Amino acid sequence: MIRIATRPYSIQQAEQLIAEGVHPVLARVYAARGLASASELASELNALIAPSGLLHIDAAASYLADAIAARKKLVIVADYDCDGATACAVGLRGLRLLGAQVDYIVPNRFEYGYGLTPEIVELTVREKAPDVIVTVDNGIASIDGVAEAKRRGIDVVVTDHHLPGDTLPEARVIVNPNQPQCGFPSKNLAGVGVMFYVLLALRAEMRKRGIFDAQTQPRLDTLLDLVALGTVADVVKLDANNRILVAQGLKRMRSGKMHPGIAALFRAAGREARRATPFDLGFAVGPRLNAAGRLADMALGIECLTTDDEGRAWAIAQELDSINRERRDIEAGMQDTALNLLDDFNPADRRTIAVFDASWHQGVIGIVASRLKDRFYRPTITFAPGDDGFLKGSGRSIPGFHLRDALDLVSKHAPSVITKFGGHAMAAGLTIHAEAFDAFAQAFEAVGRDWLTQNQLERVIETDGVLEDAYYSVQFIGVMDQQVWGQGFAPPVFCDTFRVLNQRILKEKHLKLLLEKNGQKYDAIWFGHTDALPDYATVAFRLDANEYNGKTTVQLMVEHAEPA
């Protein structure tokens, strides 16, 4: 079931925003997203929350400054997704700017799994001989790996944003906004955001030590294109602080001041960097980078982000593009198999989905879980064969069902089923014994029955209500496009009743519409939908500026429509 709902908002807050100079339509849109003051819309760097709010960040800065002064060799241990790759690139580029001797290693997910494990410590020692290991986008759950590094006399600095378990690793220092006692106001920093903050604190420490002054210190804002990409691609909530990081990164891309790898990825994706949007980062650039970690080796993606050679960056971007095409083909096949396996799935009987096929590819199960979750609107976990009688699972959730907490509960109720798990509210990963799949599916469904009400299983299209006729304009779209929209700060969706003048099917899968309201006609398109609409329909839509033959017109992108 899908229903359209209008977001409630405080009229008082909207009026306050208008008084502060905000566009009247955007004032109610912002108020509906909880904003009370125009200051929360600031996108300048000086509006960022100060690094000092992060627990232990000063200790990390001081430790790293000492390590750089002592010419110690730092090795970054990265994660194999887009956030991990950008965090690694930010760490490498930033630490080198600050004078560090630094290298990196990114484990192959199929051989070593996730995080700093004892095996990865051994590999790092063998290949890189580090004095210090710095984790990015992982490490908060690496109890055994940190212990192994310590045993070998190697200090570990953990930078991460994932939720911690009951015990923390005995690292030299941990910087993570989600660790206990950390009062940092933004719990939504991505791994790349945490690494960027560590660099800001380290540079401040080095200024304090007289190594740099305001004139001679390196420019860390040059890294913001990487920070923006990792933040959007990791689908963390775009709170006020993250919106600043993303806005600044987009500004650099639009003015052509980006790293060669990011420019090359835009080109490979057929997108224009001078018009970069969060959508481009999340759906064009990010997936091409992620494809390396899914099917091959993320070292390729990290090289793309760290090379200063434009020719090399372009060669890698083309390779990543073809890996991404292969990933799409694999995904399409897996999705067909999944829908066959779920042929008799009745949403009325089930609160969750757990599905496994022996032919599935470990690197792609997360995307398939995401597609199934979108289709059935149920927390979904897909499994592929792992090593030695284990299955690897990747899950995606719906609002109101905290996936990591759900897995924690399953592991308490059925302790012999899950061997390890980790993640966030909306996405998580786990390993289970192959023979325990049915037991897991039952235990997971039991948590779903316990936690989810029928109301929560209804997909709600939230809208910002009716849009006044005057604002169906390219100018107003331009005003909206100046804001950073994304996860947790949804782009405006409006809703109204229209007369359907004309409808036809495009490319056998999209519905092209001509709609009319108050004598005005509007072109509209509903992607992935072919069922005809009646003469009058209630339509939830986003505004889009459509360029064709050098002319820009307003087009409505239909999110959902139903008989009026």
Side-chain angles (χ1 to χ4, degrees):
M1 272 298 292
I2 298 181
R3 65 185 172 86
I4 296 175
T6 305
R7 285 188 181 89
Y9 69 93
S10 150
I11 292 175
Q12 202 181 349
Q13 279 178 343
E15 284 173 350
Q16 173 62 35
L17 288 164
I18 292 170
E20 293 178 27
V22 174
H23 186 288
V25 176
L26 287 181
R28 74 163 200 258
V29 166
Y30 292 147
R33 284 153 186 73
L35 264 63
S37 147
S39 65
E40 294 173 71
L41 297 167
S43 62
E44 293 312 310
L45 276 177
N46 59 13
L48 275 179
I49 301 167
S52 56
L54 275 164
L55 186 65
H56 304 322
I57 197 162
D58 294 338
S62 174
Y63 175 79
L64 289 169
D66 288 347
I68 292 169
R71 303 295 306 142
K72 287 189 172 174
K73 184 175 181 191
L74 311 179
V75 174
I76 294 174
V77 174
D79 182 23
Y80 43 67
D81 67 358
C82 191
D83 185 19
T86 51
C88 181
V90 163
L92 281 171
R93 287 182 173 279
L95 287 165
R96 282 174 188 155
L97 285 173
L98 295 166
Q101 187 187 337
V102 57
D103 198 351
Y104 79 95
I105 193 160
V106 60
N108 181 309
R109 76 195 290 170
F110 309 112
E111 278 179 64
Y112 293 100
Y114 167 79
L116 183 71
T117 59
E119 296 76 24
I120 285 163
V121 171
E122 191 197 344
L123 178 76
T124 309
V125 169
R126 200 169 62 237
E127 293 192 0
K128 305 286 182 184
D131 299 311
V132 180
I133 286 174
V134 179
T135 70
V136 293
D137 192 32
N138 76 93
I140 197 67
S142 304
I143 314 285
D144 298 344
V146 171
E148 177 59 21
K150 214 171 160 181
R151 192 184 70 74
R152 290 169 177 264
I154 299 165
D155 283 342
V156 180
V157 175
V158 169
T159 76
D160 199 354
H161 69 127
H162 292 91
L163 299 171
D166 298 334
T167 10
L168 295 180
E170 289 188 13
R172 182 63 192 253
V173 59
I174 298 174
V175 182
N176 178 340
N178 291 303
Q179 68 180 314
Q181 273 86 57
C182 182
F184 194 68
S186 168
K187 300 293 179 191
N188 304 302
L189 277 176
V192 68
V194 176
M195 188 65 226
F196 182 69
Y197 262 84
V198 168
L199 293 170
L200 291 175
L202 173 57
R203 184 178 68 175
E205 174 65 23
M206 293 173 93
R207 274 201 313 268
K208 209 164 81 184
R209 296 184 181 195
I211 297 165
F212 303 118
D213 60 28
Q215 269 59 56
T216 60
Q217 65 178 11
R219 296 281 304 266
L220 295 178
D221 58 344
T222 58
L223 303 171
L224 284 162
D225 57 339
L226 297 163
V227 177
L229 172 57
T231 299
V232 172
D234 213 44
V235 204
V236 291
K237 184 179 176 188
L238 294 185
D239 59 16
N241 205 57
N242 278 340
R243 288 200 302 277
I244 295 171
L245 293 171
V246 173
Q248 288 291 326
L250 289 170
K251 195 165 139 187
R252 293 193 74 83
M253 293 170 199
R254 289 171 189 158
S255 63
K257 293 180 188 151
M258 67 205 118
H259 289 97
I262 289 193
L265 286 164
F266 264 98
R267 188 174 149 202
R271 300 293 175 109
E272 287 190 58
R274 67 189 173 90
R275 293 207 194 126
T277 64
F279 185 86
D280 294 325
L281 302 185
F283 293 92
V285 181
R288 281 166 175 77
L289 199 57
N290 262 331
R294 291 187 188 285
L295 300 190
D297 187 342
M298 194 39 115
L300 193 64
I302 293 171
E303 191 192 339
C304 185
L305 299 177
T306 52
T307 181
D308 290 323
D309 175 336
E310 287 180 16
R312 179 71 188 131
W314 175 234
I316 300 173
Q318 287 172 290
E319 198 176 334
L320 291 172
D321 188 57
S322 76
I323 296 171
N324 192 49
R325 275 200 289 272
E326 183 192 344
R327 185 271 301 166
R328 275 193 216 147
D329 293 343
I330 293 170
E331 181 199 325
M334 286 168 63
Q335 220 171 311
D336 290 346
T337 307
L339 293 174
N340 284 336
L341 290 170
L342 294 168
D343 196 28
D344 58 352
F345 179 83
N346 180 358
D349 302 338
R350 296 275 295 284
R351 302 283 164 98
T352 63
I353 293 173
V355 63
F356 160 72
D357 188 84
S359 71
W360 282 352
H361 191 296
Q362 256 188 57
V364 187
I365 46 175
I367 306 183
V368 175
S370 186
R371 301 276 190 265
L372 295 173
K373 180 267 297 177
D374 289 344
R375 186 180 182 115
F376 295 106
Y377 206 64
R378 296 287 183 277
T380 300
I381 300 184
T382 45
F383 290 91
D387 302 328
D388 315 325
F390 289 102
L391 302 182
K392 283 282 171 70
S394 186
R396 299 292 183 270
S397 195
I398 60 174
F401 188 85
H402 194 300
L403 198 51
R404 189 200 163 278
D405 288 359
L407 294 176
D408 193 32
L409 198 57
V410 170
S411 75
K412 289 185 170 88
H413 284 178
S416 58
V417 172
I418 299 181
T419 59
K420 59 179 182 202
F421 68 93
H424 304 284
M426 301 306 272
L430 69 160
T431 304
I432 65 171
H433 293 282
E435 67 279 4
F437 173 75
D438 292 335
F440 171 80
Q442 281 170 343
F444 188 53
E445 175 66 18
V447 176
R449 287 191 175 282
D450 204 23
W451 285 9
L452 288 165
T453 63
Q454 213 45 59
N455 276 356
Q456 287 171 295
L457 295 169
E458 247 192 354
R459 189 194 304 264
V460 178
I461 305 279
E462 288 196 296
T463 79
D464 295 289
V466 172
L467 179 66
E468 296 78 356
D469 292 355
Y471 299 120
Y472 284 79
S473 71
V474 174
Q475 288 74 17
F476 178 60
I477 293 171
V479 172
M480 285 195 298
D481 284 352
Q482 286 163 18
Q483 184 49 265
V484 171
W485 307 100
Q487 185 66 22
F489 197 73
V493 172
F494 300 103
C495 183
D496 213 330
T497 300
F498 295 87
R499 186 166 153 221
V500 180
L501 298 179
N502 192 332
Q503 50 189 323
R504 60 192 168 88
I505 291 168
L506 274 187
K507 296 181 182 167
E508 296 176 19
K509 54 184 181 184
H510 312 304
L511 192 62
K512 187 87 177 85
L513 299 154
L514 182 63
L515 305 175
E516 187 251 355
K517 184 192 131 196
N518 297 344
Q520 286 291 325
K521 292 176 184 167
Y522 303 104
D523 282 318
I525 189 158
W526 191 354
F527 286 116
H529 187 93
T530 53
D531 296 347
L533 289 174
D535 291 345
Y536 286 89
T538 299
V539 181
F541 62 91
R542 285 182 297 113
L543 285 183
D544 180 54
N546 187 29
E547 273 190 51
Y548 186 68
N549 285 345
K551 190 165 175 261
T552 307
T553 54
V554 172
Q555 176 174 254
L556 313 189
M557 312 291 273
V558 178
E559 297 277 319
H560 180 65
E562 54 192 43

